[in-house]
């Protein structure tokens, strides 16, 4: 069995190998998130030119911005069942193909209707991408590196957003009709490359076990583990979690009847056990609060916020927005290295605390700037926007996806994560489609005070309902969430034999 690791130190200071093959698989799977991030980021600048070229009003701009997430909500609800049926790998291929079709239509975009159709199709691809990339990464990684690998999709979203902003800046120098169409259409190229490249990757070992393909699963585990002992231990835990006899050593056995996701909505939503209910509440809550704290308002409408804060020139607006993308990317990158060391809970609470202060400061700065044109208030608003993004990106941004992908039991994981993604997209759509109307109703400063209030509620939710998951195997999560809230800090050790 090959050794694919390099020596690192785990959280206890003991030698632990980092598996390069598992990392490579997660990176390739996460590439789908770059395309999604690009779609989000590029639209913030493209909307300035689309509005001018197609002569559309603010309501149509809001619909164009938000329809992506409405369609992503639909896509995510299908994605869980799809990935249980055709596998994690082919779901990524499907997502890349959908993105490619959407990008081609948007790049063609002769009128608003075709542009909106392309955006809708891309949205369905987003729903698939958001659900599948973290699930695949979580299922292929070991407990020690899962935080790092499962946060890669979120890092890739940020890289994509940054590339979108850079694309805005450079393509904006072209003619009005050509510039925004190239901004949107160029995403078709990486989509095609990814759809082909993903086929070189192995399938998730946990999905293979669910299909009864034990021999194939063992083969994949031999590649993503650093030793025969680790592969055997993970294989044993996955078999038990999937409901197979732990001593079964055949290459193929008949899979359980719900191996392809049949009947799981009932287990999740209608008659959940207390443990599954707690897990579902935690996942729905963290996905709700990720957007209720206003990130979409900053990312999508960054140019408008900077305009309110006094930056008028189009090129300078786009440059200021590149700064937003750069800040987000740098701090998510920092977070990927902290997740398996500091732990999810500590980062999440620190991040949300910083977000509360930054949002209140943005609200105050913009209120002062709007009413009195104070130059210090303009500077304060812009600085606080960057601080907000730094705090959001070091915790709440990546941990939402890491936490959602790691805490569901094996059989419920794909469809459980799909519910989380659906809530995430619903909130994203709500913020992106109502922000202009909201700030016109209660002022732009008032909108950010509202987001600050939501962040206070979020902090209490995380404190009481989100236990620490650092270093626990996926098969141990159910036992962790079976304990009372007094164990939320996860200071009690769970023995591997207790994994329900």
């Amino acid at each position: 069995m090959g050794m694919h690791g390099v020596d690192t130190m785990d959280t206890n200071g003991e030698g632990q190998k980092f598996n390069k093959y598992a990392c490579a698989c997660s990176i390739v799977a996460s590439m789908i998130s770059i395309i999604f991030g690009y779609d989000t980021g590029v639209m913030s600048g493209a909307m300035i030119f689309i509005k001018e070229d197609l002569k559309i009003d603010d309501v149509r701009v809001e619909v164009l911005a938000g329809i992506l997430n409405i369609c992503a909500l639909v896509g995510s609800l299908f994605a869980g069942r799809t990935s249980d049926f055709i596998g994690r790998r082919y779901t990524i291929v499907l997502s890349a193909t959908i993105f490619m079709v959407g990008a081609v239509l948007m790049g063609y975009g002769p009128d608003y209707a075709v542009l909106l159709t392309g955006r809708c199709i891309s949205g369905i691809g987003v729903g698939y991408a958001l659900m599948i990339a973290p699930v695949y990464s979580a299922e292929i990684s070991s407990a020690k590196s899962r935080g790092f690998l499962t946060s890669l999709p979120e890092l890739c979203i940020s890289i994509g957003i940054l590339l979108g902003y850079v694309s805005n800046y450079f393509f904006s120098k072209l003619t009005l009709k050509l510039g925004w169409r190239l901004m949107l259409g160029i995403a078709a190229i990486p989509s095609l490359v990814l759809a082909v490249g993903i086929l070189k990757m192995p399938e998730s070992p946990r999905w293979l076990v669910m299909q009864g393909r034990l021999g194939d699963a063992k083969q994949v585990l031999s590649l993503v583990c650093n030793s025969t002992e680790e592969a055997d231990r993970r294989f044993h835990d996955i078999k038990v979690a999937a409901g197979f006899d732990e001593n079964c050593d055949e290459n193929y056995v008949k899979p359980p009847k719900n191996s392809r996701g049949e009947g799981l909505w009932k287990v999740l939503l209608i008659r959940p056990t207390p443990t599954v209910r707690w897990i579902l509440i935690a996942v729905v809550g963290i996905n709700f609060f990720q957007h209720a704290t206003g990130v979409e308002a900053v990312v999508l409408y960054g140019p408008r916020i900077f305009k309110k804060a006094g930056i008028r020139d189009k090129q300078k607006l786009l440059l200021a927005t590149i700064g937003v993308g750069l800040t987000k990317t740098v701090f998510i990158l920092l977070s990927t290295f902290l997740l398996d060391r500091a732990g999810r809970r500590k980062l999440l609470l620190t991040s949300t605390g910083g977000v509360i202060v930054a949002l209140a400061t943005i609200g105050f700065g913009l209120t002062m700037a709007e009413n009195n044109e104070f130059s210090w208030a303009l500077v304060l608003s812009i600085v606080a926007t960057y601080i907000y993004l730094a705090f959001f990106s070091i915790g709440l941004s990546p941990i939402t996806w890491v936490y959602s992908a790691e805490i569901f039991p094996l059989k419920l994981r794909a469809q459980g994560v799909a519910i989380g993604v659906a809530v995430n997209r619903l909130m994203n759509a709500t913020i992106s489609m109502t922000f202009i109307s909201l700030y016109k109703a209660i002022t732009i400063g008032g909108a950010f005070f509202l987001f600050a209030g939501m962040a206070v509620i979020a902090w209490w939710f995380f404190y009481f309902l989100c236990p620490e998951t650092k270093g626990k195997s996926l098969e141990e999560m159910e036992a962790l969430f079976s304990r009372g809230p007094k164990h939320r800090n996860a200071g009690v050790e769970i023995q591997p034999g207790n994994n329900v």
Side-chain angles (χ1 to χ4, degrees), residues 36-118:
F36 157 51
Y38 179 86
D39 258 8
T40 303
V42 81
M43 189 52 84
S44 74
M47 282 192 300
I48 299 170
F49 305 103
I50 291 167
K51 188 177 179 184
E52 193 180 330
D53 186 20
L54 300 182
K55 310 284 188 293
I56 56 175
D57 57 17
D58 271 348
V59 174
R60 286 189 170 194
V61 169
E62 278 187 330
V63 170
L64 189 62
I67 199 76
L68 184 87
N69 296 299
I70 298 290
C71 296
L73 193 159
V74 176
S76 68
L77 292 174
F78 284 105
R81 183 69 187 271
T82 304
S83 76
D84 278 343
F85 193 77
I86 65 173
R88 313 316 195 206
R89 192 173 58 144
Y90 284 115
T91 304
I92 298 173
V93 174
L94 179 62
S95 179
T97 307
I98 295 169
F99 268 128
M100 187 172 64
V101 174
V104 167
L105 275 178
M106 286 194 292
Y108 169 56
D111 54 38
Y112 184 74
V114 174
L115 183 62
L116 197 63
T117 305

Side-chain angles (χ1 to χ4, degrees), residues 107-366:
Y108 169 56
D111 54 38
Y112 184 74
V114 174
L115 183 62
L116 197 63
T117 305
R119 187 84 167 146
C120 281
I121 291 169
S122 288
I124 293 167
V126 167
Y128 275 86
L130 281 175
M131 176 260 145
I132 197 59
V135 166
Y136 180 87
S137 297
E139 291 191 343
I140 212 153
S141 56
S142 69
K144 295 291 181 191
S145 60
R146 192 177 60 246
F148 173 75
L149 296 183
T150 313
S151 63
L152 286 178
E154 183 65 10
L155 175 64
C156 287
I157 290 173
S158 269
I159 292 169
I161 289 172
L162 180 57
L163 289 173
Y165 291 159
V166 172
S167 163
N168 284 158
Y169 182 71
F170 286 107
F171 286 130
S172 67
K173 299 178 190 301
L174 299 174
T175 63
L176 181 62
K177 286 194 180 303
L178 183 63
W180 67 263
R181 287 181 172 88
L182 273 177
M183 289 175 195
L184 298 173
I186 204 165
I189 298 167
S191 304
L192 179 63
V193 172
L194 179 64
V196 175
I198 218 91
L199 296 171
K200 305 280 185 199
M201 284 168 31
E203 183 50 87
S204 154
R206 288 177 168 89
W207 183 80
L208 290 169
V209 168
M210 286 285 288
Q211 307 311 306
R213 293 164 58 183
L214 304 186
D216 292 340
K218 205 166 184 180
Q219 203 173 353
V220 174
L221 284 167
S222 74
L223 295 170
V224 299
C225 295
N226 300 314
S227 65
T228 312
E229 293 75 25
E230 187 193 342
D232 288 345
R233 188 179 68 250
R234 281 175 68 181
F235 186 51
H236 169 272
D237 287 348
I238 295 166
K239 269 193 302 186
V240 171
F244 291 114
D245 180 352
E246 61 184 271
N247 299 313
C248 176
D249 211 25
E250 294 173 46
N251 282 338
Y252 180 80
V253 292
K254 193 176 177 197
K257 69 177 178 185
N258 63 351
S259 65
R260 299 201 165 187
E262 302 92 335
L264 295 184
W265 291 114
K266 193 186 291 181
V267 180
L268 274 165
L269 299 173
I270 299 168
R271 286 201 295 273
T273 63
T275 302
V276 169
R277 189 183 297 117
W278 181 7
I279 288 171
L280 189 63
I281 288 169
V283 167
V284 167
I286 199 168
N287 278 280
F288 172 86
F289 286 117
Q290 189 192 38
H291 287 288
T293 51
V295 67
E296 200 63 17
V298 175
V299 172
L300 203 55
Y301 294 104
R304 281 183 186 244
I305 292 169
F306 292 129
K307 200 170 182 177
K308 284 275 182 190
I311 300 173
R312 299 276 182 263
D313 180 70
K314 270 186 193 174
Q315 297 293 317
K316 283 181 182 170
L317 274 176
L318 294 174
L319 273 175
T321 314
I322 288 175
V324 167
L326 203 55
T327 305
K328 215 169 171 313
T329 306
V330 167
F331 280 89
I332 288 177
L333 182 60
L334 181 61
S335 174
T336 60
F337 294 105
L338 290 174
L339 272 164
D340 290 315
R341 296 182 182 186
R344 287 50 155 166
R345 185 178 161 78
K346 201 178 287 182
L347 274 180
L348 191 56
L349 293 173
T350 305
S351 163
T352 311
V355 159
I356 294 166
V357 175
L359 283 169
T361 309
I362 295 171
F364 173 72
L366 288 174

